[in-house]
Amino acid sequence: MTGHFLKILAIAGMSTLALPSFAHAADPAAMLAACPAWPTRCRVDLKGKVYKIQDTLRLNPLTTTLTNGVLDASGLPDGKPAILVSSDGKGQPESYDTAANSIDHLVLTGQPKADGIVLDNKDDDNIRAAAITLENVSISGFRRGVTFGNHAYVFGLSHTQIHNNATGIYTIPHPVDAGERIALVDVNVFNNTLGVDDEGGMELDWLASRLDYNTKTAFISGPWTFDGHIEITPPQAAPIQLHALVGVPAGSLYMTTGSIVLVSQSGGKASSDYWVQSDSPYSTIQFPAQTYGVRGKIGIMDGPAAVYGPALPAFNPH
């Protein structure tokens, strides 16, 4: 009986820690600092309020959820991320357990020399991840909207808007233990100078997503599957470029048959000499998407890479 009673007291104590009071916390940094240590989970609810942040907010993906608010990072120092997702530091467990934690229902705005959300875990002595789910998030006004770094793998973005940044999504060169099957579901990367800059050769799976009106659509250095919609104005050069990095699968684009590639203001005519440019024969493109204003299969690829599947023109009934 005594042992059972003590166990009940211990659980009650953990419950108290798991729901810390943020009534007197002045800002998100103070709320996060008040979070208890692992293994207790902590939910920081911004209650729909707008906060102006002056320094990086650090989230431990093993313990923390940040939700329900607006963060104005326009005063952030140059080169700093608004949010750093990392479990670096002492006392962390050997754990993959990040699934229950997220950044969700958040609007994040910034300044053009700072970064939005960075997922990066430099300490690889233990099994740790820089992975956290992003859901119902809007990110705009940064140098890089979202950065995938070391130990960022096997996680997802859903119902996310990444727009009006210099680069929408960025993956770092030579990442450690990173990039495995990152899922992007109903993600809209639009109005960025560069939509996606994949310098790390990461595996990105897009479902029902959009890459619209980015000045340059993407640099791809790993295998992509893409189901969705790509829309631009008539480009001067190929809007997608495939690279091959040493030691990883070459940049490849596998599009679903139901995807749409649309060049507005082209009148349905060829809008540029090529749609994709490659620099390696190991790259491939599967391009059965329905197209409007894109060249036929001869002009889909410029480079030594292989093209599989026809690129059908828009249907014009007689």
Side-chain angles (χ1 to χ4, degrees):
M1 287 294 293
T2 303
H4 182 65
F5 180 67
L6 288 174
K7 184 182 290 185
I8 292 173
L9 285 179
I11 292 172
M14 284 184 67
S15 297
T16 302
L17 287 174
L19 298 170
S21 173
F22 300 130
H24 303 292
D27 56 56
M31 298 179 197
L32 290 168
C35 281
W38 190 90
T40 307
R41 299 195 184 279
C42 181
R43 181 180 177 85
V44 175
D45 190 340
L46 302 180
K47 306 292 186 183
K49 295 182 179 179
V50 179
Y51 291 93
K52 192 174 182 67
I53 60 173
Q54 304 293 334
D55 206 350
T56 300
L57 300 179
R58 178 168 174 153
L59 268 68
N60 186 338
L62 300 177
T63 62
T64 309
T65 286
L66 179 64
T67 186
N68 189 27
V70 177
L71 297 178
D72 176 0
S74 59
L76 201 67
D78 293 355
K80 286 284 192 82
I83 299 174
L84 174 63
V85 177
S86 177
S87 60
D88 280 337
K90 296 181 179 179
Q92 301 304 316
E94 292 192 0
S95 176
Y96 288 113
D97 188 13
T98 64
N101 304 307
S102 65
I103 299 172
D104 61 73
H105 295 86
L106 192 76
V107 174
L108 181 61
T109 62
Q111 60 103 335
K113 293 185 179 180
D115 294 334
I117 299 176
V118 174
L119 300 95
D120 186 56
N121 200 91
K122 293 182 173 60
D123 185 352
D124 57 3
D125 290 337
N126 283 336
I127 301 171
R128 303 173 186 161
I132 198 166
T133 299
L134 273 64
E135 185 172 8
N136 292 300
V137 174
S138 174
I139 305 165
S140 63
F142 291 97
R143 175 180 64 168
R144 296 164 179 158
V146 180
T147 297
F148 303 152
N150 299 295
H151 301 277
Y153 57 93
V154 200
F155 65 95
L157 283 66
S158 62
H159 315 304
T160 298
Q161 310 289 319
I162 303 171
H163 59 99
N164 296 98
N165 305 282
T167 299
I169 295 176
Y170 176 73
T171 77
I172 69 169
H174 312 296
V176 175
D177 192 25
E180 180 184 340
R181 307 324 293 183
I182 297 171
L184 303 101
V185 181
D186 184 27
V187 172
N188 195 2
V189 180
F190 67 99
N191 290 3
N192 303 283
T193 305
L194 173 56
V196 183
D197 185 6
D198 176 24
E199 301 292 334
M202 297 192 179
E203 304 166 24
L204 303 185
D205 291 339
W206 302 76
L207 178 63
S209 294
R210 295 156 298 281
L211 295 171
D212 289 348
Y213 288 100
N214 301 287
T215 306
K216 177 86 174 181
T217 298
F219 291 108
I220 301 175
S221 300
W224 277 32
T225 61
F226 185 85
D227 171 81
H229 185 100
I230 299 176
E231 185 170 356
I232 59 173
T233 54
Q236 299 300 314
I240 296 174
Q241 190 159 346
L242 303 179
H243 297 300
L245 304 177
V246 175
V248 298
S252 298
L253 176 62
Y254 302 96
M255 302 189 72
T256 67
T257 305
S259 294
I260 302 294
V261 177
L262 176 64
V263 181
S264 295
Q265 305 169 29
S266 67
K269 298 179 180 179
S271 53
S272 65
D273 289 337
Y274 298 94
W275 182 259
V276 179
Q277 185 173 353
S278 75
D279 56 19
S280 167
Y282 298 103
S283 296
T284 58
I285 177 170
Q286 186 180 41
F287 204 85
Q290 181 175 343
T291 65
Y292 182 86
V294 178
R295 287 286 289 267
K297 61 182 180 181
I298 295 175
I300 289 299
M301 177 76 78
D302 178 20
V307 180
Y308 299 98
L312 301 176
F315 175 60
N316 296 310
H318 298 292

